Amino acid sequence: AVVSTQSTGMRFYSQGRLGIQADVPTSPTGAQDSISTRFFNSFAVNAARLWNCLPKTVNTVEDLDVFKLLLGQWMDQFPDNLPVRGYQRTNSNSIIDWV
C-alpha cells in the first residue's frame, strides 16, 4: 500500500524487511546542472533519503512520542563531528554518509 502526504508530496510504501520506505523522486532527465543540483538538494529528495536510512524498528512506529525516543536512541550511535579549521574529517556529519 502506498501512502501519500499532501503537505510534502512524499509517498511511502511498505518494504517488508526494511519497514516503511519513502519513494525518492527521480531526477529530471536532460535538465541543466543548476536544476539538477537544486533537485538533489531539495527537501523531497533529502527527506526521503534520510527516512530510508532509518531501521525498521524506528520507521514503523506509529506513536509520535515513541518514534522520537527511538529516533534519538538510534541517532546517538553516530558521532557529532563538528568541523575544526585545519583538520580533515574522515566522515561528514550526514547520517546518509554514516549508514
Side-chain angles (χ1 to χ4, degrees), residues 27-43:
S27 64
T29 54
Q32 297 175 357
D33 288 344
S34 62
I35 303 235
S36 290
T37 299
R38 276 187 278 179
F39 172 79
F40 285 114
N41 290 329
S42 70
F43 173 80

mmCIF file with all atom_site columns, all heavy atoms in Angstrom, residues 27-43:
data_model
loop_
_atom_site.group_PDB
_atom_site.id
_atom_site.type_symbol
_atom_site.label_atom_id
_atom_site.label_alt_id
_atom_site.label_comp_id
_atom_site.label_asym_id
_atom_site.label_entity_id
_atom_site.label_seq_id
_atom_site.pdbx_PDB_ins_code
_atom_site.Cartn_x
_atom_site.Cartn_y
_atom_site.Cartn_z
_atom_site.occupancy
_atom_site.B_iso_or_equiv
_atom_site.pdbx_formal_charge
_atom_site.auth_seq_id
_atom_site.auth_comp_id
_atom_site.auth_asym_id
_atom_site.auth_atom_id
_atom_site.pdbx_PDB_model_num
ATOM 1   N N   . SER A 1 27 ? 15.371 12.106 -10.751 1.00 0.00 ? 27 SER A N   1
ATOM 2   C CA  . SER A 1 27 ? 15.843 13.389 -11.271 1.00 0.00 ? 27 SER A CA  1
ATOM 3   C C   . SER A 1 27 ? 15.290 13.638 -12.663 1.00 0.00 ? 27 SER A C   1
ATOM 4   O O   . SER A 1 27 ? 15.047 12.712 -13.435 1.00 0.00 ? 27 SER A O   1
ATOM 5   C CB  . SER A 1 27 ? 17.366 13.413 -11.313 1.00 0.00 ? 27 SER A CB  1
ATOM 6   O OG  . SER A 1 27 ? 17.832 12.447 -12.220 1.00 0.00 ? 27 SER A OG  1
ATOM 7   N N   . PRO A 1 28 ? 15.095 14.915 -12.977 1.00 0.00 ? 28 PRO A N   1
ATOM 8   C CA  . PRO A 1 28 ? 14.619 15.244 -14.315 1.00 0.00 ? 28 PRO A CA  1
ATOM 9   C C   . PRO A 1 28 ? 15.709 14.944 -15.339 1.00 0.00 ? 28 PRO A C   1
ATOM 10  O O   . PRO A 1 28 ? 16.857 15.352 -15.173 1.00 0.00 ? 28 PRO A O   1
ATOM 11  C CB  . PRO A 1 28 ? 14.328 16.745 -14.240 1.00 0.00 ? 28 PRO A CB  1
ATOM 12  C CG  . PRO A 1 28 ? 15.044 17.239 -13.029 1.00 0.00 ? 28 PRO A CG  1
ATOM 13  C CD  . PRO A 1 28 ? 15.272 16.074 -12.134 1.00 0.00 ? 28 PRO A CD  1
ATOM 14  N N   . THR A 1 29 ? 15.365 14.197 -16.362 1.00 0.00 ? 29 THR A N   1
ATOM 15  C CA  . THR A 1 29 ? 16.356 13.833 -17.376 1.00 0.00 ? 29 THR A CA  1
ATOM 16  C C   . THR A 1 29 ? 16.624 15.018 -18.287 1.00 0.00 ? 29 THR A C   1
ATOM 17  O O   . THR A 1 29 ? 15.708 15.757 -18.660 1.00 0.00 ? 29 THR A O   1
ATOM 18  C CB  . THR A 1 29 ? 15.876 12.634 -18.212 1.00 0.00 ? 29 THR A CB  1
ATOM 19  O OG1 . THR A 1 29 ? 14.601 12.940 -18.749 1.00 0.00 ? 29 THR A OG1 1
ATOM 20  C CG2 . THR A 1 29 ? 15.784 11.381 -17.359 1.00 0.00 ? 29 THR A CG2 1
ATOM 21  N N   . GLY A 1 30 ? 17.882 15.206 -18.618 1.00 0.00 ? 30 GLY A N   1
ATOM 22  C CA  . GLY A 1 30 ? 18.271 16.260 -19.536 1.00 0.00 ? 30 GLY A CA  1
ATOM 23  C C   . GLY A 1 30 ? 18.203 17.659 -18.961 1.00 0.00 ? 30 GLY A C   1
ATOM 24  O O   . GLY A 1 30 ? 18.279 18.639 -19.699 1.00 0.00 ? 30 GLY A O   1
ATOM 25  N N   . ALA A 1 31 ? 18.084 17.783 -17.655 1.00 0.00 ? 31 ALA A N   1
ATOM 26  C CA  . ALA A 1 31 ? 17.994 19.104 -17.034 1.00 0.00 ? 31 ALA A CA  1
ATOM 27  C C   . ALA A 1 31 ? 19.376 19.747 -16.941 1.00 0.00 ? 31 ALA A C   1
ATOM 28  O O   . ALA A 1 31 ? 20.394 19.063 -16.920 1.00 0.00 ? 31 ALA A O   1
ATOM 29  C CB  . ALA A 1 31 ? 17.381 18.994 -15.652 1.00 0.00 ? 31 ALA A CB  1
ATOM 30  N N   . GLN A 1 32 ? 19.391 21.068 -16.882 1.00 0.00 ? 32 GLN A N   1
ATOM 31  C CA  . GLN A 1 32 ? 20.642 21.796 -16.704 1.00 0.00 ? 32 GLN A CA  1
ATOM 32  C C   . GLN A 1 32 ? 21.250 21.422 -15.353 1.00 0.00 ? 32 GLN A C   1
ATOM 33  O O   . GLN A 1 32 ? 20.553 21.004 -14.435 1.00 0.00 ? 32 GLN A O   1
ATOM 34  C CB  . GLN A 1 32 ? 20.401 23.301 -16.723 1.00 0.00 ? 32 GLN A CB  1
ATOM 35  C CG  . GLN A 1 32 ? 19.861 23.838 -18.001 1.00 0.00 ? 32 GLN A CG  1
ATOM 36  C CD  . GLN A 1 32 ? 19.533 25.326 -17.879 1.00 0.00 ? 32 GLN A CD  1
ATOM 37  O OE1 . GLN A 1 32 ? 19.655 25.920 -16.824 1.00 0.00 ? 32 GLN A OE1 1
ATOM 38  N NE2 . GLN A 1 32 ? 19.100 25.908 -18.978 1.00 0.00 ? 32 GLN A NE2 1
ATOM 39  N N   . ASP A 1 33 ? 22.556 21.597 -15.229 1.00 0.00 ? 33 ASP A N   1
ATOM 40  C CA  . ASP A 1 33 ? 23.243 21.263 -13.982 1.00 0.00 ? 33 ASP A CA  1
ATOM 41  C C   . ASP A 1 33 ? 22.666 22.015 -12.792 1.00 0.00 ? 33 ASP A C   1
ATOM 42  O O   . ASP A 1 33 ? 22.515 21.449 -11.707 1.00 0.00 ? 33 ASP A O   1
ATOM 43  C CB  . ASP A 1 33 ? 24.736 21.551 -14.091 1.00 0.00 ? 33 ASP A CB  1
ATOM 44  C CG  . ASP A 1 33 ? 25.448 20.545 -14.979 1.00 0.00 ? 33 ASP A CG  1
ATOM 45  O OD1 . ASP A 1 33 ? 24.854 19.480 -15.256 1.00 0.00 ? 33 ASP A OD1 1
ATOM 46  O OD2 . ASP A 1 33 ? 26.590 20.816 -15.391 1.00 0.00 ? 33 ASP A OD2 1
ATOM 47  N N   . SER A 1 34 ? 22.331 23.291 -12.981 1.00 0.00 ? 34 SER A N   1
ATOM 48  C CA  . SER A 1 34 ? 21.815 24.079 -11.853 1.00 0.00 ? 34 SER A CA  1
ATOM 49  C C   . SER A 1 34 ? 20.467 23.541 -11.385 1.00 0.00 ? 34 SER A C   1
ATOM 50  O O   . SER A 1 34 ? 20.175 23.514 -10.195 1.00 0.00 ? 34 SER A O   1
ATOM 51  C CB  . SER A 1 34 ? 21.685 25.555 -12.240 1.00 0.00 ? 34 SER A CB  1
ATOM 52  O OG  . SER A 1 34 ? 20.768 25.706 -13.304 1.00 0.00 ? 34 SER A OG  1
ATOM 53  N N   . ILE A 1 35 ? 19.651 23.060 -12.323 1.00 0.00 ? 35 ILE A N   1
ATOM 54  C CA  . ILE A 1 35 ? 18.351 22.493 -11.955 1.00 0.00 ? 35 ILE A CA  1
ATOM 55  C C   . ILE A 1 35 ? 18.551 21.155 -11.260 1.00 0.00 ? 35 ILE A C   1
ATOM 56  O O   . ILE A 1 35 ? 17.892 20.858 -10.272 1.00 0.00 ? 35 ILE A O   1
ATOM 57  C CB  . ILE A 1 35 ? 17.466 22.331 -13.204 1.00 0.00 ? 35 ILE A CB  1
ATOM 58  C CG1 . ILE A 1 35 ? 17.336 23.667 -13.860 1.00 0.00 ? 35 ILE A CG1 1
ATOM 59  C CG2 . ILE A 1 35 ? 16.183 21.614 -12.876 1.00 0.00 ? 35 ILE A CG2 1
ATOM 60  C CD1 . ILE A 1 35 ? 16.025 24.227 -14.132 1.00 0.00 ? 35 ILE A CD1 1
ATOM 61  N N   . SER A 1 36 ? 19.472 20.340 -11.760 1.00 0.00 ? 36 SER A N   1
ATOM 62  C CA  . SER A 1 36 ? 19.753 19.052 -11.135 1.00 0.00 ? 36 SER A CA  1
ATOM 63  C C   . SER A 1 36 ? 20.273 19.244 -9.717  1.00 0.00 ? 36 SER A C   1
ATOM 64  O O   . SER A 1 36 ? 19.890 18.509 -8.813  1.00 0.00 ? 36 SER A O   1
ATOM 65  C CB  . SER A 1 36 ? 20.781 18.272 -11.953 1.00 0.00 ? 36 SER A CB  1
ATOM 66  O OG  . SER A 1 36 ? 20.220 17.854 -13.169 1.00 0.00 ? 36 SER A OG  1
ATOM 67  N N   . THR A 1 37 ? 21.139 20.222 -9.517  1.00 0.00 ? 37 THR A N   1
ATOM 68  C CA  . THR A 1 37 ? 21.671 20.498 -8.179  1.00 0.00 ? 37 THR A CA  1
ATOM 69  C C   . THR A 1 37 ? 20.556 20.895 -7.237  1.00 0.00 ? 37 THR A C   1
ATOM 70  O O   . THR A 1 37 ? 20.466 20.392 -6.112  1.00 0.00 ? 37 THR A O   1
ATOM 71  C CB  . THR A 1 37 ? 22.732 21.610 -8.238  1.00 0.00 ? 37 THR A CB  1
ATOM 72  O OG1 . THR A 1 37 ? 23.801 21.173 -9.079  1.00 0.00 ? 37 THR A OG1 1
ATOM 73  C CG2 . THR A 1 37 ? 23.270 21.938 -6.860  1.00 0.00 ? 37 THR A CG2 1
ATOM 74  N N   . ARG A 1 38 ? 19.681 21.791 -7.672  1.00 0.00 ? 38 ARG A N   1
ATOM 75  C CA  . ARG A 1 38 ? 18.550 22.198 -6.832  1.00 0.00 ? 38 ARG A CA  1
ATOM 76  C C   . ARG A 1 38 ? 17.638 21.021 -6.538  1.00 0.00 ? 38 ARG A C   1
ATOM 77  O O   . ARG A 1 38 ? 17.123 20.887 -5.435  1.00 0.00 ? 38 ARG A O   1
ATOM 78  C CB  . ARG A 1 38 ? 17.761 23.334 -7.489  1.00 0.00 ? 38 ARG A CB  1
ATOM 79  C CG  . ARG A 1 38 ? 18.384 24.684 -7.206  1.00 0.00 ? 38 ARG A CG  1
ATOM 80  C CD  . ARG A 1 38 ? 17.516 25.769 -7.718  1.00 0.00 ? 38 ARG A CD  1
ATOM 81  N NE  . ARG A 1 38 ? 17.813 25.878 -9.144  1.00 0.00 ? 38 ARG A NE  1
ATOM 82  C CZ  . ARG A 1 38 ? 17.243 26.708 -9.966  1.00 0.00 ? 38 ARG A CZ  1
ATOM 83  N NH1 . ARG A 1 38 ? 16.298 27.494 -9.540  1.00 0.00 ? 38 ARG A NH1 1
ATOM 84  N NH2 . ARG A 1 38 ? 17.579 26.746 -11.222 1.00 0.00 ? 38 ARG A NH2 1
ATOM 85  N N   . PHE A 1 39 ? 17.448 20.162 -7.521  1.00 0.00 ? 39 PHE A N   1
ATOM 86  C CA  . PHE A 1 39 ? 16.602 18.987 -7.327  1.00 0.00 ? 39 PHE A CA  1
ATOM 87  C C   . PHE A 1 39 ? 17.208 18.072 -6.268  1.00 0.00 ? 39 PHE A C   1
ATOM 88  O O   . PHE A 1 39 ? 16.532 17.648 -5.337  1.00 0.00 ? 39 PHE A O   1
ATOM 89  C CB  . PHE A 1 39 ? 16.414 18.234 -8.645  1.00 0.00 ? 39 PHE A CB  1
ATOM 90  C CG  . PHE A 1 39 ? 15.715 16.926 -8.483  1.00 0.00 ? 39 PHE A CG  1
ATOM 91  C CD1 . PHE A 1 39 ? 14.347 16.881 -8.336  1.00 0.00 ? 39 PHE A CD1 1
ATOM 92  C CD2 . PHE A 1 39 ? 16.432 15.745 -8.432  1.00 0.00 ? 39 PHE A CD2 1
ATOM 93  C CE1 . PHE A 1 39 ? 13.691 15.671 -8.159  1.00 0.00 ? 39 PHE A CE1 1
ATOM 94  C CE2 . PHE A 1 39 ? 15.792 14.530 -8.257  1.00 0.00 ? 39 PHE A CE2 1
ATOM 95  C CZ  . PHE A 1 39 ? 14.415 14.497 -8.121  1.00 0.00 ? 39 PHE A CZ  1
ATOM 96  N N   . PHE A 1 40 ? 18.498 17.738 -6.392  1.00 0.00 ? 40 PHE A N   1
ATOM 97  C CA  . PHE A 1 40 ? 19.147 16.821 -5.452  1.00 0.00 ? 40 PHE A CA  1
ATOM 98  C C   . PHE A 1 40 ? 19.278 17.418 -4.053  1.00 0.00 ? 40 PHE A C   1
ATOM 99  O O   . PHE A 1 40 ? 19.407 16.690 -3.085  1.00 0.00 ? 40 PHE A O   1
ATOM 100 C CB  . PHE A 1 40 ? 20.503 16.351 -5.977  1.00 0.00 ? 40 PHE A CB  1
ATOM 101 C CG  . PHE A 1 40 ? 20.370 15.329 -7.066  1.00 0.00 ? 40 PHE A CG  1
ATOM 102 C CD1 . PHE A 1 40 ? 20.765 15.609 -8.359  1.00 0.00 ? 40 PHE A CD1 1
ATOM 103 C CD2 . PHE A 1 40 ? 19.822 14.083 -6.800  1.00 0.00 ? 40 PHE A CD2 1
ATOM 104 C CE1 . PHE A 1 40 ? 20.623 14.668 -9.362  1.00 0.00 ? 40 PHE A CE1 1
ATOM 105 C CE2 . PHE A 1 40 ? 19.674 13.135 -7.806  1.00 0.00 ? 40 PHE A CE2 1
ATOM 106 C CZ  . PHE A 1 40 ? 20.081 13.431 -9.087  1.00 0.00 ? 40 PHE A CZ  1
ATOM 107 N N   . ASN A 1 41 ? 19.260 18.736 -3.939  1.00 0.00 ? 41 ASN A N   1
ATOM 108 C CA  . ASN A 1 41 ? 19.313 19.396 -2.637  1.00 0.00 ? 41 ASN A CA  1
ATOM 109 C C   . ASN A 1 41 ? 17.934 19.722 -2.086  1.00 0.00 ? 41 ASN A C   1
ATOM 110 O O   . ASN A 1 41 ? 17.816 20.328 -1.024  1.00 0.00 ? 41 ASN A O   1
ATOM 111 C CB  . ASN A 1 41 ? 20.142 20.682 -2.724  1.00 0.00 ? 41 ASN A CB  1
ATOM 112 C CG  . ASN A 1 41 ? 21.611 20.387 -2.926  1.00 0.00 ? 41 ASN A CG  1
ATOM 113 O OD1 . ASN A 1 41 ? 22.111 19.373 -2.472  1.00 0.00 ? 41 ASN A OD1 1
ATOM 114 N ND2 . ASN A 1 41 ? 22.296 21.265 -3.626  1.00 0.00 ? 41 ASN A ND2 1
ATOM 115 N N   . SER A 1 42 ? 16.891 19.309 -2.777  1.00 0.00 ? 42 SER A N   1
ATOM 116 C CA  . SER A 1 42 ? 15.521 19.637 -2.365  1.00 0.00 ? 42 SER A CA  1
ATOM 117 C C   . SER A 1 42 ? 15.097 18.845 -1.133  1.00 0.00 ? 42 SER A C   1
ATOM 118 O O   . SER A 1 42 ? 15.659 17.797 -0.810  1.00 0.00 ? 42 SER A O   1
ATOM 119 C CB  . SER A 1 42 ? 14.540 19.365 -3.506  1.00 0.00 ? 42 SER A CB  1
ATOM 120 O OG  . SER A 1 42 ? 14.417 17.963 -3.715  1.00 0.00 ? 42 SER A OG  1
ATOM 121 N N   . PHE A 1 43 ? 14.086 19.359 -0.455  1.00 0.00 ? 43 PHE A N   1
ATOM 122 C CA  . PHE A 1 43 ? 13.556 18.694 0.733   1.00 0.00 ? 43 PHE A CA  1
ATOM 123 C C   . PHE A 1 43 ? 13.059 17.291 0.383   1.00 0.00 ? 43 PHE A C   1
ATOM 124 O O   . PHE A 1 43 ? 13.351 16.333 1.104   1.00 0.00 ? 43 PHE A O   1
ATOM 125 C CB  . PHE A 1 43 ? 12.406 19.511 1.329   1.00 0.00 ? 43 PHE A CB  1
ATOM 126 C CG  . PHE A 1 43 ? 11.709 18.786 2.447   1.00 0.00 ? 43 PHE A CG  1
ATOM 127 C CD1 . PHE A 1 43 ? 12.250 18.773 3.715   1.00 0.00 ? 43 PHE A CD1 1
ATOM 128 C CD2 . PHE A 1 43 ? 10.520 18.097 2.214   1.00 0.00 ? 43 PHE A CD2 1
ATOM 129 C CE1 . PHE A 1 43 ? 11.625 18.090 4.748   1.00 0.00 ? 43 PHE A CE1 1
ATOM 130 C CE2 . PHE A 1 43 ? 9.893  17.415 3.239   1.00 0.00 ? 43 PHE A CE2 1
ATOM 131 C CZ  . PHE A 1 43 ? 10.441 17.409 4.509   1.00 0.00 ? 43 PHE A CZ  1
#
